[in-house]
Amino acid sequence: MSDPAFLTPEEEFAQLQKLSNEYEPETTGPLVGDRQSSAAIAIEYANADPVYRVKTAALPAKYAFFRTCRGDGHCGWRAIAFGYFEALLHVGDVTKFEVEEARLISMNNLLNLAGHHEDLYIDFAEEAYDLLRKLAGSLQVGNGAGLLLEAFNDYSISMSIITYVKLLASSWIQSRANEYQHYISTDLKSYCSQNIEAANCEIDDVGVAALSTALLKPAGIGLEILYLDRSVGEEANVHEFSQPMNFNGLIPMIRLLYRPGHYDILYKAEDLPAPPQPAPIHVALAYNNQHNFEATTPDANLLSMIPGMYSHNRFQDMDQSFGQRWSPTSYDFDSIPAPQPQITPVQSYAPAPIAPVSASHQDYMSPVHASPMSHQSPASHHSLQMEQPPVQLPFHPAPPPPVSIDRAPIAIEREGPFRPSMYEFEPGYGAGEVMPFQTSQFRDSHYNTCHFRNPSFQPEEWSPHQYRTGNKGRHKSTSQ
Amino acid sequence: MSAGAKKRIMKEYGECMAETPPGMKINFDERNMTKWEVLMDGPDGSVYAGGHFKLEIVFPNEYPFKPPVVSFRTKIYHPNVSNDDKGSMCLGLLRPDEWKPPNKVVAVLRLIQSLMVEPNIDDAIEPSIANEYKENRKEFEKNAKDWVKRYAK
């Protein structure tokens, strides 16, 4: 009967068996994927049965990230091998890489003892040594993670390293017969040949134990495996195969997620190097300077808008802004005018080389129309300045120029430990306000909230009030 | 095919040239190194003695992580060789699940030679020939020799 609906049970069984024999697991996707949020696992199991749902829901809280391995029957071997190299990168010590290479080479004796021929396995081993050397070299540049991912997604390199670690595990088991024989019913040699060395076999518990003892433990790398199965409990069971060592506070740890027949790599948030922190102070300084520009007379503004152009006013602007920022009085929030050593006549600048100062501040010279933040004006010299035409500046009393005018504070300001701006202490600082951006570089960077990569991304909106009246309104409301 | 696979094939070819197992000749084409042609003499003392068999060894792109594919281009009456135009052979270390990357081609060639001396009945691809080998050895030998005369001279 040709209609499949009328197959006899035997025929149907035979057909199913045939389908089952021909079945090849899904082997799409990268050999080793990018690190991603482990919330994806919980989502994947959202429609699964409750045991899985509960266990996967608990996962992201502890293990923030995971990385997929292609389920081509090697994923366990691949995951551990990848984890080994990644853990070494995490430690980030060139010597450690060299020590590991020497150690692996010395293990060739073990492979020879188990009857492997050096001329055959050396091709596979070389790929592992090469990768160690490559990663050691990458520590300077810091592109190790990319290199590692690239290497493991190259079929030939990836498979060579997998073959090599399989041979390591197999040789290790055979060299410790009395230790491993208890777990194995057949003789060790044929067990290793069929269940470890064969090209197409996934890692089993004996393999994991052997590999972690042979490869990971001596390197001080920890290994734990989470078993996600139907066993009772609210969290996946964790089994620790190897205890990590502490390398100056860095603890290399491989965490695997096991789902029947498949391994993926898990990460806790603390396993990862901290992402570079954005420097919000940059924005504050830019803003601070901005406000001073607005406070000056319109013609001064015009001049200061021209890049590379500076006038007496501009000098005074800088002077005031630096003075406010760097002199001890700058944190004085009283509305009583503080002593103002920072107001200095223009003459005091004459001996200073002009070019460096202006070069280091070109960043700040840009359109002046962006909205300012709420700002208390603590010093009366703002209003004073607004009324004074630039030519009158030389007639100010002339105290000695404060140190803050020198170039040294400028250097500190650009590189190093910032002292907080006074405006940061105000309530509502940085909350919900569109930061005025000063340079095209800043505007296009992700520090700008208008940039899609900014954590508090907010599309740029044009608001007519912010252009002229916004400033005055704010000024009044906060200073009353 | 990756550089590693090519390197490996060249290495194995060098070894085979330096120490060719007796009773066989390997033709190697530099431009297509993934396909070897092997001329194998029927081993002395076997029913195939006196015959010359042409074999083809094809290395997959994933070599050495997947086994080479061996096929008889000369028809042979053998329980482990498919009796069709492919003449394919898939047993022992040639099986994808038993293949190990460190295996050598020389080992494959030796396996073929030993199978010609003594077929592996438990792993037969042609059950009828295997059955004949078991039940009626005389008839098998007669057929095998007959095929040698017809195809392998």
Side-chain angles (χ1 to χ4, degrees), chain A residues 158-475:
Chain A
S158 185
M159 286 306 295
S160 294
I161 293 175
I162 289 170
T163 306
Y164 176 61
V165 296
K166 280 181 173 184
L167 293 177
L168 273 184
S170 152
S171 309
W172 187 266
I173 293 174
Q174 291 180 57
S175 71
R176 281 155 182 77
N178 48 2
E179 206 175 307
Y180 286 94
Q181 187 65 73
H182 311 297
Y183 305 104
I184 299 161
S185 48
T186 56
D187 80 296
L188 280 181
K189 181 101 189 154
S190 58
Y191 175 84
C192 288
S193 146
Q194 282 161 22
N195 297 291
I196 308 270
E197 292 166 28
N200 232 347
C201 70
E202 183 52 287
I203 199 164
D204 55 10
D205 281 354
V206 180
V208 173
L211 193 58
S212 70
T213 331
L215 182 69
L216 305 179
K217 214 175 238 168
I221 300 169
L223 172 68
E224 66 175 33
I225 300 184
L226 258 86
Y227 292 91
L228 183 59
D229 49 26
R230 277 176 211 277
S231 59
V232 187
E234 301 204 329
E235 283 187 23
N237 299 315
V238 184
H239 187 87
E240 192 169 67
F241 283 86
S242 166
Q243 285 263 2
M245 287 201 272
N246 190 326
F247 296 91
N248 301 322
L250 292 169
I251 298 166
M253 190 73 199
I254 304 175
R255 300 173 210 276
L256 302 184
L257 173 67
Y258 178 78
R259 298 177 256 184
H262 186 69
Y263 288 91
D264 286 313
I265 306 172
L266 283 176
Y267 301 89
K268 283 192 178 177
E270 72 245 29
D271 296 342
L272 307 173
Q277 293 294 322
I281 197 75
H282 187 94
V283 175
L285 291 179
Y287 159 69
N288 190 359
N289 206 359
Q290 169 75 44
H291 184 84
N292 281 325
F293 283 178
E294 294 240 331
T296 52
T297 48
D299 52 345
N301 274 344
L302 265 179
L303 283 173
S304 64
M305 283 168 69
I306 304 168
M309 185 69 188
Y310 34 82
S311 63
H312 292 335
N313 286 60
R314 171 135 178 84
F315 268 129
Q316 185 169 14
D317 281 338
M318 285 179 170
D319 173 19
Q320 284 176 359
S321 61
F322 294 143
Q324 279 179 0
R325 228 174 293 139
W326 297 109
S327 71
T329 57
S330 61
Y331 300 101
D332 189 354
F333 279 58
D334 290 347
S335 52
I336 304 155
Q340 292 169 12
Q342 61 266 49
I343 299 189
T344 45
V346 180
Q347 285 95 321
S348 64
Y349 289 92
I354 281 164
V357 173
S358 73
S360 61
H361 278 271
Q362 272 177 1
D363 288 354
Y364 297 107
M365 305 181 65
S366 73
V368 197
H369 51 68
S371 76
M373 303 246 317
S374 64
H375 167 51
Q376 268 183 324
S377 174
S380 61
H381 63 257
H382 273 284
S383 52
L384 205 110
Q385 193 192 345
M386 275 159 101
E387 287 146 21
Q388 279 174 341
V391 278
Q392 291 181 354
L393 286 169
F395 299 113
H396 276 289
V403 226
S404 61
I405 301 172
D406 288 342
R407 281 169 62 203
I410 297 173
I412 291 168
E413 166 198 335
R414 305 207 120 222
E415 291 163 15
F418 299 101
R419 284 202 284 171
S421 156
M422 57 186 283
Y423 305 116
E424 284 180 76
F425 294 110
E426 291 183 16
Y429 164 74
E433 281 279 355
V434 178
M435 284 292 174
F437 30 81
Q438 302 300 315
T439 67
S440 58
Q441 212 176 6
F442 171 73
R443 194 183 55 225
D444 296 336
S445 81
H446 62 276
Y447 295 119
N448 187 349
T449 49
C450 302
H451 193 277
F452 72 100
R453 284 178 57 199
N454 191 295
S456 50
F457 168 75
Q458 200 185 350
E460 193 170 7
E461 284 173 33
W462 182 76
S463 152
H465 300 289
Q466 286 182 342
Y467 271 71
R468 281 294 157 201
T469 58
N471 175 34
K472 280 179 191 164
R474 281 216 171 270
H475 202 85

Side-chain angles (χ1 to χ4, degrees), chain A residues 84-97:
Chain A
Y84 166 72
F85 289 101
E86 201 180 37
L88 291 178
L89 264 186
H90 183 55
V91 174
D93 181 359
V94 179
T95 347
K96 179 82 182 150
F97 278 101

